[in-house]
Amino acid sequence: MEMVKYVISDNNYSWWIKLYFVIIFTLVLSVAVNLAVGIYNKWDSTPVIIGISSKMTPIDQIPFPAITVCNMNQAKKSKVEHLMPGSVGYAMLQKTCYKETNYSQYMDNHHRNETFPNFILDVSEKCSDLIVSCIFHQQRIPCTDIFRETFVDEGLCCIFNILHPYYLYKFKSPYIRDYTSSDRFADIAVDWDPISGYPQRLPSSYYPRPGVGVGASMGLQIVLNGHVDDYFCSSTNGQGFKVLLYNPIDQPRMKESGLPVMIGHQTSFRIIARNVEAIPSIRNIHRTKRQCIFSDEQELLFYRYYTRRNCEAECDSKFFLRLCSCIPYYLPIIYPNASVCDVFHFECLNHAESQIFDLQSSECKELCLTSCHDLIFFPDAFSTPFSQKDVKAQTNHLMNMSSDYIRQNLAVVNFFHTDNYFRSSVMTSYTGPTEYMASTGGIMSLMIGFSVIFIAEIVYIIFFALTLLLFLMF
């Protein structure tokens, strides 16, 4: 830079030498500016990068996955075989079994004391019958003490290690069945979220329960009874169960993400945990740029904690409420006075389900970005069939059952961690003001010897030139 100024201002150099240096300076300046703009564009298009945390996270600092277990049988044969065509119960049964029928005839033939959620509760298999044995952390526990019944998109299912409704929802849903008030239930409900984690002071026994070790013996083992002889209709084309592992503050989606468990098999799910964190400084980057949302940046209507799945579930509730003036029983009741869909809504409900979503719903879900702090579980499943000879009775409950009955009705499922520690993913800004200044400053200094002092020189030259011009004019 100094050389260029010296050559141009020195009259001892010929004009072509001055022109040469002016051309070179212009070319180098254009290259430097182009490189600096490229750095800015890269930062603008990729403001956030995801790296690996330098610290290992122990599994006892995160909850064991929330687990939902469903029987593929949607209705017990003994409960529904007496229902006659034309009755309200028969119409509800057709909806439960995903069968097509004309629901318009039931528009005026509905009894208020016979609601669709109550019908599902009556005809579905209860958790006490579905889950016959539970062992957690090498301790045999009554299954009704650790599983509670809940509604999901495949009917009545059993859920384990979910955050207590008091901490999870803003107001009580009329169709949440909570058995944790039992005198036998020793664990105390505590709050948890991916940012704050567990409270500093914890009782000796609490839930959501954390992981405490690796291997099948330190995880959860359950024995499921499908009661095949009582099958009436399945959510699939076969018999068996579905399970889903997820974050304890999430809305489960069994239809989309449920994993099959076959009857007559022992299935094991090795749990691979992935924790996503974000440094506070990326809050300064707009959410559409960083493509994630902090939990305190967007408040939901029904859930206390923001996650992408919870946000999308509320969008689905708004969709059905807008089209049918009701919300399906398995979706969050986003308004306390909202109606739950019943028989006289089934015709509209079928039409809405076939439409899936409209423009408003699509725009709503586009705003449901992923959480900046999230906990995700990836199950690695493998299964082996029961022995064709004598099946070993793993619990006292099975000792009274024949090997044929066990092979035809039961399934054993294990859930366990394979590692005591894992590394989290950390979202950080691609570059900050200091890094950007260092990068562009390095390029400008390398190309044209640019410095901050040079800016002062430019201001001085411009000011001197203008002063000289005004002096000559007047």
Side-chain angles (χ1 to χ4, degrees), residues 24 68 160 274-275 436 442 449:
I24 293 298
T68 297
F160 165 80
R274 181 194 173 198
N275 194 33
Y436 180 74

Side-chain angles (χ1 to χ4, degrees), residues 186-250:
D187 291 348
I188 298 174
V190 298
D191 199 5
W192 177 88
D193 69 87
I195 299 179
S196 305
Y198 284 110
Q200 292 185 351
R201 293 186 177 181
L202 291 168
S204 58
S205 183
Y206 59 91
Y207 76 98
R209 302 159 187 83
V212 294
V214 299
S217 61
M218 299 302 292
L220 172 69
Q221 183 189 81
I222 56 176
V223 179
L224 306 176
N225 192 335
H227 297 100
V228 174
D229 292 339
D230 210 14
Y231 254 64
F232 184 81
C233 62
S234 175
S235 59
T236 64
N237 292 322
Q239 301 168 344
F241 315 93
K242 281 187 178 182
V243 300
L244 182 63
L245 286 70
Y246 54 97
N247 190 321
I249 63 173
D250 258 343

Side-chain angles (χ1 to χ4, degrees), residues 360-434:
Q360 285 181 262
S361 179
S362 178
E363 292 175 348
C364 178
K365 291 185 177 182
E366 285 180 2
L367 300 177
C368 295
L369 301 176
T370 186
S371 303
C372 294
H373 292 79
D374 202 359
L375 178 61
I376 308 170
F377 296 102
F378 298 96
D380 180 20
F382 64 94
S383 64
T384 55
F386 291 158
S387 172
Q388 293 301 312
K389 297 181 180 181
D390 292 336
V391 180
K392 181 180 179 181
Q394 301 185 13
T395 68
N396 294 332
H397 183 87
L398 304 183
M399 293 181 66
N400 299 324
M401 299 179 182
S402 67
S403 296
D404 288 339
Y405 182 87
I406 292 175
R407 280 192 294 268
Q408 294 171 10
N409 291 272
L410 268 58
V412 177
V413 192
N414 296 296
F415 306 90
F416 57 91
H417 287 283
T418 56
D419 295 296
N420 281 310
Y421 296 86
F422 66 96
R423 290 191 183 274
S424 302
S425 299
V426 182
M427 301 178 66
T428 60
S429 54
Y430 173 74
T431 180
T434 303

Side-chain angles (χ1 to χ4, degrees), residues 313-329:
E314 291 197 356
C315 290
D316 289 335
S317 294
K318 294 176 183 177
F319 167 74
F320 286 107
L321 191 61
R322 185 169 60 252
L323 266 65
C324 301
S325 301
C326 68
I327 299 175
Y329 65 90

